[in-house]
Amino acid sequence: MHLSGFGSFFVDEKLKLSNSLSVLFHQSVRRDFLVEHFKLGSDYPFISEGVEKRNIYDFYSLILYDMSKNRKSRLYLSMGFGYSGINTAHKVI
């Protein structure tokens, strides 16, 4: 999970393709309180410019393979991609 404030909202949609193969779409909206920006100063090395309070969005898509033999528990092998941190105003390459 994410280091965020309380009140994260998650939506999952799972499409079953066969008994053992499915596709999962996941979206989360979270309120982040833990991003603080600093600027360098000559008298003190770090001066706070404040803490951001934003809604941050994450999107994931996964292909799930159900490896379970008994139906009392589930074991999935998954592969997918995601795009997270939308609306953070940070660019990471």
Side-chain angles (χ1 to χ4, degrees):
M1 292 298 150
H2 306 280
L3 296 174
S4 298
F6 295 103
S8 296
F9 179 69
F10 301 97
V11 176
D12 286 331
E13 182 66 34
K14 187 175 178 182
L15 302 173
K16 194 169 185 179
L17 302 177
S18 69
N19 284 339
S20 59
L21 194 62
S22 57
V23 177
L24 176 72
F25 299 102
H26 173 87
Q27 177 186 2
S28 66
V29 178
R30 55 193 166 98
R31 185 75 172 163
D32 204 342
F33 296 99
L34 300 177
V35 177
E36 185 169 3
H37 293 281
F38 294 97
K39 67 178 182 177
L40 295 175
S42 59
D43 55 344
Y44 185 73
F46 298 107
I47 299 171
S48 176
E49 292 182 338
V51 177
E52 286 184 28
K53 296 179 182 177
R54 297 179 178 215
N55 289 326
I56 298 175
Y57 309 97
D58 304 313
F59 300 99
Y60 301 100
S61 295
L62 300 170
I63 297 174
L64 302 172
Y65 177 72
D66 188 357
M67 298 174 48
S68 305
K69 297 299 178 196
N70 66 20
R71 295 297 171 189
K72 292 182 181 179
S73 64
R74 296 275 191 244
L75 178 63
Y76 291 105
L77 178 64
S78 65
M79 176 179 68
F81 64 92
Y83 190 70
S84 62
I86 300 168
N87 195 32
T88 60
H90 298 286
K91 296 180 181 178
V92 179
I93 299 176

